[in-house]
Amino acid sequence: MTKLRTTKPALPYGRSLSMNILVINCGSSSVKYQLLDSLQEAIITEGTIELTPEVGAVVAVQQALKDTHSETIDAVGHRVVHGGDTFRDAVFINSEVKEKIQEWASLAPLHNPPALLGIAAAQAVLPDIPHVAVFDTAFHATLPRRASHYAIDTALAEKHRIRRYGFHGTSHQFVAQEAARYLGRPLNELRLITLHLGNGASACAVEMGSSTETSMGMTPLEGLVMGSRSGDIDAGVIFKLLRDEVNDVNALDDLLNLHSGLKGLSGLSNDVREIEAAAASGHDGARLSIAVFAHRVRKYIGAYAAAMGGVDAVIVTGGIGENSVSLRQRILQRLEFLGLQVDEDSNQCASVDHRNKVALITTENSRVPALVVKTNEELMIARQTAGLIRQQAQLKTDLSIPIAVSARHLHLDKGTFALLFGDDAEPTHHADLSQPGQFACKEKVTLVGPRNSIEGVRLLGPLRSKNQIEVSRSDEYLLGVDAPVRDSGRVKGSAPITLTGPKGSVRLNEGLICARRHIHMHPDDAQRFGVKNKDEVEVAITGGPRDLIFCDVLVRVSPGYRLEMHIDTDEANAAELDRKASGELVYTDIEGPSANIKGLKTSNQN
Ligand code: ADP
């Protein structure tokens, strides 16, 4: 039996629960795409199409849609680099959203325009499915103003929207969540430093799940040393170069974005693999570039530990962070004063991939763990796309479950019925019950226990193949018996009880149970709620005088059932339920240990 905090159903009524989400990353030089199954979180198809003068963004996206069989796609998640301070979360793309993305293009001229082309091309082919924009900047929307402001004239800054926005947010958020999951601690209790070290590189202080500092600023040029970007630089250097070296701003832009960083320092390449090989054979530029790169990252670790007043874990990711043993060693050495001690063997052996996402590279005694985490921005974009669609579906879907309170009652087999009510008797219909075909009978019996008897216990029809007497825990105390909590129908080895009817008494060796709380569901309901037969779920009762969550609620699915949760009188009293009460399934998001309990919208109507 699966016990779960249910994840909310992915799609509205009638559609499959798992979604195929196409993630499109339409950049300046290539279009990368991945088709993912949102439930399995598995890649179905992926590819990269390089852009050329003949193959522009539109043609490339059309090709990607062809490669992924567009008819199988349920939704598209588009990576958008710059959302400025307009977008704090992923959004469904409409014309207003596209206008806003266009507005931010002036701060991301290489990134936002191709993303818009990609969106238009995908929407033209797939106009009827949701398209969602996921922004690199969104995770940093929580930067406090002390971290988002440059120390320049505020009116000027506002006029030109000059502030620190931060990038790589999808990656920082993903690895922070994975780290929390690995450490078995809620993300909202942790102070993490995440280091995304790829061709582009940035550091982030993730405090209680939110970004509170990050090294990239208004553009991805600020901060760490990168493949070909300078990172932090004295603005005076820019004046000097403009005056004495380059002729115009665009040339300077190219110099700092395309010909600096590891490439500029080493004079060789932006690729750490080549640089490390050259450094090993004595190349001074290569050695210098490695030293400056690692030093800059270390400086940021110290700064962010100070900014957060401590650090609980350091996480490295990106092509360099995931692969370069020696750079990890250089970056994380001599951090014992922070409580972080690298284990050289673990660092040497650390290997991460999409299956084994996390490797610990610190010693057992290290108070602060360092983790290598495999980033997966595409998966994060797919998750956010699916999450948004799920949210929308839930707003449209009524997820409440009517609750029926079962008073003590019994089901009898033919023989026992005859012994209690006479050979010729038949159960007499008294009233229909909510489950189709079930009815309350006029016949009642007395339960005779060692301590007391309970009279007037009603028979439910039709007759069954096994006797089953359902009482509450309070009834058990009264009777002086100890009955097990059982699913309906599982009476073997349950408690004995004596029954007395108008025509005689019967001593049953088994049959007395305390019924396990359960929900009857039609298969359509099960699909709507995202559960299956025999799942165990949690149901919240809110809005009444004594709210509570019922755990261990068994789901029972059958085409013959009508949606209804059954609890006994003790349980109803504990929640002070009225007759027309309803509950709601408790869902958690799938993102990990920090996931909040959601869905407590239940009402205790009346
Ligand atoms: P991007 O920022 O373009 O997504 P990646 O995160 O893929 O970049 O990182 C690419 C960089 O990772 C390469 O340029 C290279 O410097 C580095 N890298 C990749 N593999 C290795 C390796 N095995 N050893 C050292 N560095 C590596």
Side-chain angles (χ1 to χ4, degrees):
M1 219 172 287
T2 352
K3 181 156 183 161
L4 76 167
R5 271 253 166 92
T6 335
T7 51
K8 285 205 171 185
L11 281 168
Y13 236 160
R15 292 185 68 186
S16 143
L17 283 176
S18 100
M19 278 182 280
N20 286 347
I21 306 224
L22 177 67
V23 175
I24 296 183
N25 180 356
C26 195
S28 52
S29 58
S30 67
V31 170
K32 292 183 188 160
Y33 62 92
Q34 230 179 59
L35 184 67
L36 291 124
D37 175 324
S38 69
L39 219 55
Q40 306 293 329
E41 302 207 323
I43 298 170
I44 302 165
T45 323
E46 62 181 327
T48 303
I49 300 169
E50 298 300 332
L51 299 181
T52 60
E54 295 76 42
V55 181
V58 173
V59 175
V61 168
Q62 286 166 345
Q63 185 59 46
L65 292 171
K66 221 181 253 170
D67 294 349
T68 47
H69 304 286
S70 53
E71 64 282 0
T72 66
I73 300 169
D74 293 304
V76 185
H78 296 266
R79 177 191 179 205
V80 180
V81 167
H82 216 312
D85 52 13
T86 311
F87 299 104
R88 303 179 70 90
D89 282 304
V91 287
F92 288 112
I93 300 173
N94 55 24
S95 48
E96 198 187 333
V97 167
K98 283 191 272 191
E99 273 169 32
K100 294 282 177 208
I101 295 173
Q102 179 60 48
E103 278 178 29
W104 289 106
S106 66
L107 293 186
L110 293 181
H111 293 105
N112 278 21
L116 279 168
L117 286 176
I119 289 169
Q123 281 185 325
V125 178
L126 297 167
D128 299 324
I129 62 169
H131 289 254
V132 170
V134 179
F135 300 91
D136 274 27
T137 42
F139 182 56
H140 304 298
T142 49
L143 284 187
R145 59 187 204 151
R146 62 177 182 275
S148 65
H149 277 243
Y150 290 110
I152 59 169
D153 181 283
T154 45
L156 199 64
E158 242 165 65
K159 180 178 167 198
H160 295 285
R161 294 169 144 178
I162 295 171
R163 53 157 282 187
R164 308 188 63 251
Y165 296 101
F167 299 87
H168 285 150
T170 314
S171 176
H172 288 297
Q173 190 179 13
F174 180 83
V175 297
Q177 284 174 357
E178 287 302 324
R181 198 196 302 264
Y182 177 87
L183 297 171
R185 293 185 57 190
L187 187 56
N188 60 14
E189 284 177 12
L190 291 169
R191 293 162 302 180
L192 305 174
I193 298 174
T194 53
L195 304 165
H196 179 106
L197 310 176
N199 240 330
S202 69
C204 184
V206 184
E207 216 171 333
M208 317 304 165
S210 302
S211 166
T212 56
E213 246 300 4
T214 191
S215 59
M216 285 178 169
M218 182 182 83
T219 73
L221 185 55
E222 189 182 346
L224 304 180
V225 175
M226 304 177 220
S228 62
R229 288 179 221 147
S230 64
D232 293 337
I233 196 163
D234 178 356
V237 175
I238 292 170
F239 309 144
K240 166 81 181 154
L241 289 172
L242 270 176
R243 284 191 197 109
D244 299 338
E245 179 64 28
V246 292
N247 295 328
D248 66 14
V249 175
N250 291 335
L252 186 57
D253 196 320
D254 278 0
L255 183 71
L256 295 179
N257 271 303
L258 304 176
H259 304 290
S260 301
L262 293 171
K263 190 175 170 192
L265 279 166
S266 67
L268 284 174
S269 158
N270 60 350
D271 193 316
V272 166
R273 285 164 289 200
E274 279 179 48
I275 292 173
E276 283 181 338
S281 48
H283 191 288
D284 192 55
R287 289 183 172 181
L288 176 69
S289 68
I290 287 173
V292 178
F293 181 95
H295 172 73
R296 183 82 54 88
V297 181
R298 288 170 56 74
K299 238 170 50 166
Y300 270 89
I301 294 173
Y304 287 2
M308 291 192 288
V311 55
D312 298 307
V314 175
I315 294 116
V316 286
T317 189
I320 299 171
E322 290 162 21
N323 296 299
S324 174
V325 174
S326 64
L327 266 173
R328 285 199 301 256
Q329 178 66 35
R330 269 175 187 272
I331 290 165
L332 298 173
Q333 69 184 326
R334 293 193 298 118
L335 292 182
E336 284 80 5
F337 73 98
L338 280 180
L340 188 156
Q341 188 178 41
V342 174
D343 181 305
E344 285 190 26
D345 289 341
S346 307
N347 183 39
Q348 189 75 42
C349 303
S351 153
V352 289
D353 55 32
H354 286 319
R355 278 171 156 257
N356 301 304
K357 294 187 200 125
V358 184
L360 177 72
I361 55 167
T362 34
T363 62
E364 257 179 35
N365 296 328
S366 183
R367 187 174 50 75
V368 175
L371 304 171
V372 182
V373 179
K374 174 87 183 164
T375 195
N376 195 340
E377 288 162 285
E378 290 75 18
L379 177 57
M380 195 70 191
I381 292 171
R383 279 184 186 170
Q384 294 195 17
T385 303
L388 200 63
I389 292 167
R390 239 184 283 146
Q391 245 178 34
Q392 194 198 38
Q394 275 140 31
L395 288 177
K396 287 187 193 157
T397 314
D398 177 11
L399 289 174
S400 68
I401 299 170
I403 295 179
V405 182
S406 303
R408 60 181 84 98
H409 63 269
L410 71 163
H411 306 272
L412 293 177
D413 65 24
K414 213 164 181 264
T416 313
F417 180 81
L419 289 170
L420 294 170
F421 295 97
D423 285 341
D424 301 330
E426 286 290 332
T428 343
H429 183 278
H430 169 65
D432 280 336
L433 297 175
S434 56
Q435 294 309 313
Q438 307 267 307
F439 57 94
C441 305
K442 290 203 170 123
E443 288 76 14
K444 293 179 181 176
V445 303
T446 300
L447 308 184
V448 183
R451 282 184 64 194
N452 287 298
S453 297
I454 300 177
E455 292 179 359
V457 180
R458 194 180 290 279
L459 174 70
L460 303 190
L463 294 175
R464 291 187 177 180
S465 60
K466 284 184 205 159
N467 296 311
Q468 180 170 307
I469 299 93
E470 300 178 33
V471 293
S472 70
R473 284 285 190 235
S474 300
D475 291 340
E476 290 174 35
Y477 287 116
L478 197 67
L479 293 166
V481 294
D482 199 3
V485 174
R486 285 284 175 84
D487 308 343
S488 183
R490 284 186 55 228
V491 288
K492 195 163 171 45
S494 58
I497 187 74
T498 301
L499 310 178
T500 305
K503 294 286 160 95
S505 271
V506 183
R507 168 78 181 164
L508 301 178
N509 290 328
E510 60 185 22
L512 186 76
I513 64 167
C514 182
R516 186 156 171 225
R517 40 188 175 252
H518 56 274
I519 308 173
H520 291 271
M521 285 190 188
H522 187 272
D524 285 349
D525 296 316
Q527 187 181 37
R528 181 158 60 97
F529 287 102
V531 298
K532 57 186 186 311
N533 193 36
K534 294 193 177 173
D535 277 350
E536 276 182 16
V537 295
E538 298 179 7
V539 175
I541 312 294
T542 61
R546 299 178 81 190
D547 294 347
L548 54 71
I549 293 177
F550 286 114
C551 301
D552 306 317
V553 183
L554 181 72
V555 172
R556 296 175 58 190
V557 182
S558 159
Y561 287 158
R562 227 184 73 184
L563 181 67
E564 196 168 62
M565 172 162 162
H566 288 182
I567 56 176
D568 69 23
T569 42
D570 280 358
E571 292 167 324
N573 288 339
E576 283 194 32
L577 287 184
D578 290 324
R579 273 180 148 253
K580 281 189 186 164
S582 64
E584 203 167 281
L585 285 200
V586 176
Y587 291 97
T588 60
D589 281 345
I590 46 179
E591 275 88 0
S594 63
N596 294 319
I597 294 177
K598 286 190 176 168
L600 304 179
K601 279 181 279 154
T602 323
S603 64
N604 182 355
Q605 301 157 359
N606 230 7

